[in-house]
């Protein structure tokens, strides 16, 4: 099988994540996708919401997307989790499958700063999606000089016929590739979503912190556009992002 992998804090998982998953799944004709919530991200200090709450929100969001499963490989919050180690572990679990580790251009640009980051493309295929303001040709020299000969560029349209043969070659290749997808996403801000909820809690008393009042909140637009209603309700019911 050909398996996509996307890790992150997912604090919370939002519509941009789902659009990204659907796009890569269809573009590369993958068999399944694994989401890996990180209990203790090594480069973030904003995960004040529990791992279990984040997993619950993910499960609610993907329950009608059967090709997506959630891995608990990074659930131990007593240690930081690094992508190199996680992918190495997944390779042991899926010995007969091809893995496609996904990240945005912003992350790829600083891959040399990650723990053993420049070795990740030796473990599995790397899938890079575009980000506004970044140019893969002008990436960090430490990254591009090391990995430029591994990069394969694909067009943004899912059904681009010129890409089909390239994708077949990637899947049949024994050497992992770096697949650059010329597709930008809306770049939804999880921190902005959290801020909207925090502002809502500050405006309303506990007895009024419900979905009906949230719909009337003057700053709700960003959340209502970018989160499924079921997740908005979950956040309010559990008073997440109040602090």
């Amino acid at each position: 099988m050909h398996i996509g992998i996307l890790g992150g804090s997912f604090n919370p998982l939002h519509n941009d994540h789902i659009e990204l998953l659907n796009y890569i799944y269809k573009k590369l004709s993958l068999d399944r996708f694994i989401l890996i919530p990180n209990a203790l991200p090594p480069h973030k200090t904003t995960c004040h919401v529990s791992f279990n709450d984040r997993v619950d929100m993910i499960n609610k969001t993907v329950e009608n997307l059967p090709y997506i499963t959630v891995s608990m490989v990074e659930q131990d919050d007593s240690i930081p989790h690094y992508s190199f180690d996680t992918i190495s572990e997944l390779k042991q679990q899926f010995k007969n499958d091809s893995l496609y580790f996904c990240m945005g251009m912003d992350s790829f640009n600083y891959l040399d700063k990650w723990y053993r980051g420049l070795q990740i493309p030796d473990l599995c295929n790397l899938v890079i999606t575009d980000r506004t303001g970044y140019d893969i040709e002008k990436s960090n020299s430490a990254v591009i000089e090391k990995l430029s000969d591994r990069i394969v560029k694909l067009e943004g349209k899912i059904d681009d016929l010129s890409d089909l043969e390239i994708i077949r070659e990637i899947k049949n290749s024994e050497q992992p590739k770096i697949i650059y997808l010329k597709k930008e996403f809306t770049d939804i801000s999880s921190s902005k979503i959290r801020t909207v909820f925090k502002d809502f809690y500050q405006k309303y008393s506990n007895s009024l912190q419900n979905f009906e009042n949230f719909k009337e909140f003057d700053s709700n637009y960003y959340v209502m556009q970018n989160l499924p209603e079921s997740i908005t309700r979950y956040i309010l019911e559990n008073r997440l992002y109040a602090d």
Side-chain angles (χ1 to χ4, degrees):
M1 287 198 300
H2 297 272
I3 304 172
I5 301 168
L6 182 66
S9 57
F10 303 122
N11 191 28
L13 185 77
H14 50 62
N15 292 348
D16 197 30
H17 292 125
I18 299 304
E19 183 183 356
L20 173 74
L21 292 169
N22 282 329
Y23 171 77
I24 296 175
Y25 173 72
K26 293 175 181 178
K27 177 67 177 179
L28 300 180
S29 298
L30 301 180
D31 298 295
R32 60 183 290 201
F33 232 110
I34 299 175
L35 283 181
I36 305 176
N38 191 313
L40 185 63
H43 306 301
K44 292 187 178 181
T45 59
T46 56
C47 281
H48 304 306
V49 168
S50 75
F51 178 78
N52 288 336
D53 276 324
R54 288 183 282 125
V55 170
D56 284 347
M57 286 190 283
I58 292 171
N59 286 329
K60 283 180 175 292
T61 304
V62 305
E63 60 186 359
N64 294 318
L65 298 171
Y67 71 89
I68 299 177
T69 58
V70 180
S71 170
M72 306 295 277
V73 68
E74 295 186 353
Q75 67 178 323
D76 185 351
D77 63 3
S78 67
I79 57 171
H81 297 277
Y82 297 99
S83 296
F84 181 90
D85 294 335
T86 296
I87 295 169
S88 297
E89 184 170 343
L90 290 175
K91 281 176 64 67
Q92 293 301 310
Q93 292 182 30
F94 302 99
K95 292 181 178 180
N96 299 318
D97 301 310
S98 296
L99 304 182
Y100 297 73
F101 184 68
C102 305
M103 65 172 63
M105 258 301 303
D106 49 342
S107 295
F108 179 73
N109 195 49
Y110 297 101
L111 196 60
D112 60 316
K113 305 298 191 298
W114 289 30
Y115 170 72
R116 302 184 73 175
L118 294 179
Q119 297 176 43
I120 290 175
D122 296 326
L123 298 178
C124 67
N125 295 295
L126 202 59
V127 181
I128 313 298
T129 55
D130 233 342
R131 282 289 186 270
T132 301
Y134 289 88
D135 182 346
I136 198 166
E137 304 293 346
K138 299 177 182 178
S139 295
N140 177 351
S141 60
V143 174
I144 205 68
E145 289 175 8
K146 174 76 173 178
L147 302 175
S148 61
D149 61 332
R150 308 268 293 277
I151 296 173
V152 177
K153 298 179 181 180
L154 299 179
E155 296 301 323
K157 291 183 179 179
I158 287 178
D159 57 355
D160 192 292
L161 296 178
S162 63
D163 288 341
L164 294 179
E165 182 58 36
I166 299 173
I167 293 171
R168 279 193 288 268
E169 290 176 2
I170 290 171
K171 289 184 171 181
N172 291 326
S173 174
E174 294 184 2
Q175 183 188 42
K177 302 294 184 182
I178 298 172
I179 306 165
Y180 172 55
L181 301 175
K182 297 179 183 178
K183 166 73 172 176
E184 290 187 10
F185 292 86
T186 53
D187 202 16
I188 296 170
S189 169
S190 294
S191 63
K192 187 171 181 178
I193 289 173
R194 296 193 296 266
T195 297
V196 172
F197 282 106
K198 184 175 182 179
D199 291 346
F200 172 74
Y201 297 132
Q202 291 176 347
K203 181 174 181 178
Y204 289 86
S205 65
N206 284 353
S207 61
L208 297 175
Q209 291 172 5
N210 55 54
F211 184 73
E212 293 308 312
N213 284 321
F214 187 79
K215 287 196 298 183
E216 303 301 320
F217 183 48
D218 54 8
S219 300
N220 75 6
Y221 179 79
Y222 195 78
V223 169
M224 299 297 280
Q225 286 292 108
N226 297 315
L227 273 188
E229 181 179 320
S230 61
I231 304 309
T232 300
R233 289 181 179 275
Y234 181 94
I235 290 170
L236 294 170
E237 289 167 3
N238 293 278
R239 208 170 183 271
L240 305 183
Y241 308 122
D243 302 320

